[in-house]
Amino acid sequence: MMNLKLHVWRQPSAKDTGRLETYEARDVSPDMSFLEMLDVVNEDLIVTGKRPIAFDHDCREGICGSCGMMINGVAHGPQRGTATCQLHMRTFKDGDEIVIEPWRAQAFPIIKDLVVDRSAFDRIIQRGGYISVNTGGAPDGNDILVGKDRADHAMDAAACIGCGACVAACPNASSSLFTGAKITHLGKLPQGQPERDRRVVAMVEQMDEEGFGNCSWFGECQEACPKEISIDVIKQMNHDYVAAAARGSD
Amino acid sequence: MTNPVMRFWRSTIGRKAVMAVTGIIGIGFLLAHITGNLLVFKGPDAINSYSHFLHGPGAELLWIARVVLILAVILHVAAAYSLTQQSHAARPVGYSMRKPQVSTFASRTMRWGGLLILIFIIFHILHFTTGTFHPGGDYVEGDVYINVVHAFHVWWVAAFYMFTMIVLGFHLYHGAWSSARTLSIIGDSPQPLHRRLAMIIAVVVWLGFTLVPLGVLLGWVG
Ligand code: FES
C-alpha cells in the first residue's frame, strides 16, 4: 500500500477559471489502475461532501480513447503505449506527488476538471474519415485482394482510438498524428482509393479550421500515442495532401 | 472558387511544404558556399579568381541565385512566422507541468535559432557583400581574401560567426530531417526519429563554415 499526494486541475465548468488543488490518496494498492485510484479519492470526496473529480472514461480497457489526462507532464502517464486506464499504480512509489491536468488545446475546450470536449476530432472524421459504399448484398470476402504489407500498414494506423494524446503532447497542439492515422488507414486500402484526394483535402482543411497547430516533427505524438502509431502516417498525409493539391482536387 | 495557390498556402501542410522546399534550397546553397569558402586555404589567388568569375562571366548566374535565395528566405520566414502564430493560438493555456519525451534540443530551438540566423544573414550581407559594415580594416571591393582576414581578426566578429554556425548546425539537424519527412521524399522507417543524413549535413555545414574564421584566428590564413 502506498500514500500519494495528488495535484489535480479543478475547474467547475468551461466558464470558470480553474486551479490545481492538492489531495491525499491513501492506501493505494499497486494493483489498482490509475482510474481506480481516482475512484477511491472520489469516494472520500463524496463522503466528506465535496465535489468529486470529473474525469472521462468508458471502456477502461484501452480501446475507447476517452480516459486521457496529463500525468506528471506526460500524456497518459509514464508508461509507453498505455492509456491512462491501463496504467497501474505500480508505476508509482510511496510518497510520490502526481500532477494531473486535462489535455490543453484551443480545439479541446475544458468541460469540467479533467474532461475536455474532443468533438473537433468527430468533425474531422465527418469530413472524410469513411468510405462510401452502396448498400445491397454483402460482397464476397475475397473480392478485393489486399496485400499483407498494405493490410498491416492500414491496421497499424487503424489502431488509433482518438484519445487526443497526440494533440496533448505536441508542443504545437497539432492533430496531425490523428488525422494522418485516419488518412493512412483508408488510403492504404483499395476501398479508400475513390475518395482519397477529396478525403485528405477536406480532413486537413477541417483540422486547420478547428484551430490545431502545425506539425514540426517534434515526435512527441508518436511517443505519447497509447497505440504507438508511427509519425510515418503524417508523412503519408502530407504526401497525399500535396499530391491532391497538385491534381487540383477540391 | 478560391485560388488553389492561396488555398495551399493557407493550409498548414502547404506552408510546411513551402518551408521544406525553401529550406532544401538553402541547404544546397550552403554546400556550394562552403566549397567556395574553402578556397581561402589555397591562398589569395584561388578565392579571388573564384570571386572574379562570379562577378564577371558568372554574373547572370549569380543574380539568378540571389533572386531565388532572397525569395526562398522571404517565403521560409513568412511561413515560419504565421505557423508559429498559429501554434501559439492552438494552445493558449499551457501545462503547469510538461516533460518533453523525445523531441530534440534542435527541434525545440528552431524558432529562436531561425531568428538568429535571419539576423546573421542581414549582418553577413552588410559585412561581406556590400561592405557597409566592416570593422577590422577597410573593405576592398573584389579582394575577398583580404576582407576575410581583416574581418576575422576582430574577435567578436569571429565569435559571432562561429556561434551562429553552431546554431545553424542545430537548425539543419532538425530542418534537413523534417523537410525530407514533410515532402515525404524518404521512405517509412521502423525508427522514424533516427537521422543520419541530417547529422552529416549539420556537421559538414557547421565545420565547413567554422574553419574559415578559426583558420584566421589561428593564423592558418593571412
Ligand atoms: S477508458 Fe477507454 S481507453 Fe481508457
Side-chain angles (χ1 to χ4, degrees):
Chain A
M1 290 294 172
M2 42 188 185
N3 295 316
L4 304 161
K5 191 183 259 185
L6 309 181
H7 305 280
V8 186
W9 185 261
R10 302 304 308 269
Q11 182 171 341
S13 80
K15 286 186 288 294
D16 294 299
T17 51
R19 63 195 176 98
L20 286 172
E21 294 209 20
T22 305
Y23 302 93
E24 304 286 339
R26 267 183 280 272
D27 299 329
V28 174
S29 153
D31 296 331
M32 282 179 182
S33 77
F34 198 84
L35 299 187
E36 282 169 331
M37 183 274 294
L38 287 178
D39 289 337
V40 170
V41 171
N42 273 347
E43 276 167 22
D44 277 355
L45 287 175
I46 292 166
V47 167
T48 53
K50 298 205 185 84
R51 192 172 62 80
I53 301 161
F55 60 93
D56 212 350
H57 61 99
D58 186 14
C59 70
R60 297 208 178 195
E61 55 182 13
I63 54 169
C64 75
S66 57
C67 59
M69 52 188 82
M70 209 71 173
I71 301 169
N72 277 347
V74 181
H76 288 303
Q79 191 168 311
R80 207 166 179 268
T82 309
T84 303
C85 60
Q86 297 289 291
L87 179 69
H88 285 84
M89 295 313 293
R90 63 183 80 98
T91 45
F92 299 93
K93 51 183 200 311
D94 191 33
D96 274 0
E97 295 199 22
I98 308 178
V99 177
I100 310 173
E101 291 177 87
W103 291 165
R104 297 275 187 205
Q106 173 67 32
F108 286 168
I110 292 176
I111 297 172
K112 192 177 193 175
D113 297 342
L114 304 173
V115 183
V116 301
D117 180 356
R118 286 174 296 122
S119 41
F121 273 8
D122 298 337
R123 289 187 291 272
I124 294 175
I125 294 293
Q126 281 162 10
R127 292 292 301 278
Y130 52 79
I131 57 161
S132 304
V133 277
N134 295 325
T135 53
D140 181 64
N142 291 329
D143 233 9
I144 304 169
L145 300 177
V146 183
K148 167 78 173 136
D149 55 333
R150 291 208 146 239
D152 283 351
H153 264 123
M155 291 311 285
D156 286 350
C160 171
I161 55 176
C163 66
C166 45
V167 174
C170 176
N172 292 344
S174 168
S175 65
S176 293
L177 195 74
F178 168 80
T179 316
K182 302 301 168 189
I183 281 163
T184 305
H185 158 205
L186 297 172
K188 288 279 182 196
L189 295 174
Q191 292 87 342
Q193 299 314 309
E195 290 153 310
R196 188 167 167 184
D197 278 4
R198 213 188 318 154
R199 172 183 308 117
V200 68
V201 171
M203 288 178 82
V204 167
E205 190 177 87
Q206 189 66 32
M207 153 176 112
D208 289 348
E209 253 168 47
E210 295 291 346
F212 293 106
N214 71 288
C215 173
S216 293
W217 299 101
F218 291 105
E220 295 288 349
C221 54
Q222 168 179 286
E223 194 65 15
C225 177
K227 299 299 156 187
E228 302 182 292
I229 293 173
S230 162
I231 50 173
D232 281 338
V233 301
I234 304 176
K235 194 156 63 72
Q236 184 73 47
M237 169 173 70
N238 287 0
H239 170 273
D240 285 10
Y241 184 81
V242 173
R247 281 192 283 266
S249 172
D250 293 325
Chain B
M1 201 57 253
T2 43
N3 176 340
V5 174
M6 274 324 288
R7 196 169 68 171
F8 189 71
W9 174 261
R10 266 205 309 274
S11 81
T12 46
I13 294 179
R15 268 172 291 159
K16 289 308 283 202
V18 168
M19 287 194 71
V21 170
T22 52
I24 289 172
I25 291 174
I27 291 173
F29 161 72
L30 291 174
L31 295 176
H33 191 343
I34 288 173
T35 319
N37 281 9
L38 293 179
L39 289 174
V40 86
F41 290 101
K42 286 186 78 183
D45 289 344
I47 191 145
N48 285 349
S49 59
Y50 173 60
S51 157
H52 288 147
F53 166 77
L54 284 183
H55 290 94
E60 275 161 31
L61 233 62
L62 183 71
W63 273 106
I64 293 171
R66 280 175 172 171
V67 170
V68 170
L69 287 169
I70 288 170
L71 279 178
V73 168
I74 291 172
L75 287 172
H76 197 80
V77 171
Y81 179 78
S82 70
L83 288 167
T84 301
Q85 299 291 99
Q86 204 170 330
S87 292
H88 289 164
R91 179 166 294 133
V93 182
Y95 294 103
S96 60
M97 187 194 237
R98 181 183 155 68
K99 292 200 202 110
Q101 299 294 297
V102 291
S103 52
T104 56
F105 174 77
S107 70
R108 283 180 269 123
T109 50
M110 288 304 272
R111 288 163 189 158
W112 287 110
L115 187 64
L116 178 68
I117 293 164
L118 180 64
I119 293 169
F120 173 84
I121 291 172
I122 296 167
F123 178 84
H124 183 54
I125 290 174
L126 295 177
H127 191 202
F128 277 124
T129 310
T130 64
T132 319
F133 181 74
H134 200 79
D138 283 340
Y139 180 80
V140 188
E141 182 89 47
D143 194 342
V144 180
Y145 191 84
I146 284 296
N147 291 337
V148 166
V149 171
H150 283 166
F152 294 134
H153 268 133
V154 183
W155 72 270
W156 65 265
V157 171
F160 176 53
Y161 271 70
M162 288 195 282
F163 177 71
T164 310
M165 290 310 111
I166 295 173
V167 174
L168 180 63
F170 277 101
H171 200 77
L172 297 185
Y173 177 60
H174 185 70
W177 171 79
S178 61
S179 297
R181 300 197 69 82
T182 295
L183 299 175
S184 68
I185 48 181
I186 45 168
D188 287 357
S189 159
Q191 296 281 6
L193 293 176
H194 284 193
R195 48 198 94 171
R196 274 175 296 267
L197 186 59
M199 178 57 116
I200 294 170
I201 292 174
V203 170
V204 165
V205 169
W206 163 71
L207 197 65
F209 282 128
T210 302
L211 279 177
V212 177
L214 199 66
V216 173
L217 282 182
L218 296 180
W220 304 339
V221 177

CSV table of all heavy atoms in Angstrom, one decimal, chain B residues 5-6 31 62 100 125 129 143 149 156 184 217:
chain,number,residue,atom,x,y,z
B,5,VAL,N,-3.6,28.3,-55.3
B,5,VAL,CA,-2.3,28.6,-54.6
B,5,VAL,C,-2.5,29.2,-53.2
B,5,VAL,O,-1.8,28.8,-52.3
B,5,VAL,CB,-1.5,29.6,-55.5
B,5,VAL,CG1,-0.2,30.0,-54.8
B,5,VAL,CG2,-1.2,29.0,-56.9
B,6,MET,N,-3.5,30.1,-53.1
B,6,MET,CA,-3.8,30.6,-51.8
B,6,MET,C,-4.3,29.6,-50.8
B,6,MET,O,-4.0,29.6,-49.7
B,6,MET,CB,-4.8,31.8,-52.0
B,6,MET,CG,-4.2,33.1,-52.3
B,6,MET,SD,-2.6,33.4,-51.5
B,6,MET,CE,-3.1,33.7,-49.8
B,31,LEU,N,26.0,24.4,-49.1
B,31,LEU,CA,27.0,23.5,-49.5
B,31,LEU,C,27.9,24.1,-50.6
B,31,LEU,O,29.1,24.0,-50.6
B,31,LEU,CB,26.4,22.1,-50.0
B,31,LEU,CG,25.7,21.4,-48.8
B,31,LEU,CD1,25.1,20.1,-49.4
B,31,LEU,CD2,26.7,21.0,-47.7
B,62,LEU,N,24.9,34.4,-60.9
B,62,LEU,CA,24.9,34.9,-59.5
B,62,LEU,C,23.6,35.6,-59.2
B,62,LEU,O,23.0,35.5,-58.2
B,62,LEU,CB,26.1,35.9,-59.4
B,62,LEU,CG,26.3,36.4,-58.0
B,62,LEU,CD1,26.8,35.3,-57.0
B,62,LEU,CD2,27.3,37.6,-58.0
B,100,PRO,N,9.0,17.0,-22.0
B,100,PRO,CA,9.2,16.5,-23.3
B,100,PRO,C,9.9,15.1,-23.3
B,100,PRO,O,10.7,14.9,-22.4
B,100,PRO,CB,10.2,17.5,-23.9
B,100,PRO,CG,10.1,18.7,-23.0
B,100,PRO,CD,9.7,18.3,-21.7
B,125,ILE,N,25.5,40.0,-45.1
B,125,ILE,CA,25.4,40.7,-46.4
B,125,ILE,C,26.0,42.1,-46.3
B,125,ILE,O,26.8,42.5,-47.1
B,125,ILE,CB,24.0,40.8,-46.9
B,125,ILE,CG1,23.5,39.4,-47.3
B,125,ILE,CG2,23.8,41.7,-48.1
B,125,ILE,CD1,22.0,39.3,-47.7
B,129,THR,N,29.1,41.4,-48.5
B,129,THR,CA,28.7,41.6,-49.9
B,129,THR,C,28.7,43.1,-50.2
B,129,THR,O,29.2,43.4,-51.3
B,129,THR,CB,27.2,41.1,-50.0
B,129,THR,OG1,27.2,39.7,-49.5
B,129,THR,CG2,26.8,41.0,-51.5
B,143,ASP,N,38.6,42.0,-53.3
B,143,ASP,CA,39.6,41.3,-52.7
B,143,ASP,C,39.1,40.5,-51.5
B,143,ASP,O,39.2,40.9,-50.3
B,143,ASP,CB,40.8,42.2,-52.2
B,143,ASP,CG,42.0,41.4,-51.9
B,143,ASP,OD1,41.9,40.2,-51.6
B,143,ASP,OD2,43.1,42.1,-51.8
B,149,VAL,N,40.4,38.1,-44.0
B,149,VAL,CA,41.5,38.1,-43.0
B,149,VAL,C,41.2,39.3,-42.0
B,149,VAL,O,41.2,39.1,-40.8
B,149,VAL,CB,42.8,38.2,-43.7
B,149,VAL,CG1,43.9,38.5,-42.6
B,149,VAL,CG2,43.2,37.0,-44.4
B,156,TRP,N,35.3,39.6,-31.8
B,156,TRP,CA,33.8,39.4,-31.6
B,156,TRP,C,33.1,39.1,-32.9
B,156,TRP,O,32.1,38.4,-32.9
B,156,TRP,CB,33.2,40.6,-30.8
B,156,TRP,CG,33.2,41.9,-31.6
B,156,TRP,CD1,34.1,42.9,-31.5
B,156,TRP,CD2,32.2,42.3,-32.6
B,156,TRP,NE1,33.8,43.9,-32.3
B,156,TRP,CE2,32.7,43.6,-33.0
B,156,TRP,CE3,31.1,41.8,-33.1
B,156,TRP,CZ2,32.0,44.3,-34.0
B,156,TRP,CZ3,30.4,42.5,-34.1
B,156,TRP,CH2,30.8,43.8,-34.5
B,184,SER,N,7.9,14.0,-47.8
B,184,SER,CA,7.8,12.5,-48.0
B,184,SER,C,8.8,12.1,-49.1
B,184,SER,O,8.4,11.3,-50.0
B,184,SER,CB,6.4,12.0,-48.2
B,184,SER,OG,5.8,12.4,-49.4
B,217,LEU,N,41.8,33.1,-37.1
B,217,LEU,CA,42.2,33.3,-35.7
B,217,LEU,C,43.5,32.5,-35.3
B,217,LEU,O,44.3,33.0,-34.6
B,217,LEU,CB,41.1,32.8,-34.8
B,217,LEU,CG,39.9,33.8,-34.6
B,217,LEU,CD1,38.9,33.2,-33.6
B,217,LEU,CD2,40.3,35.2,-34.1
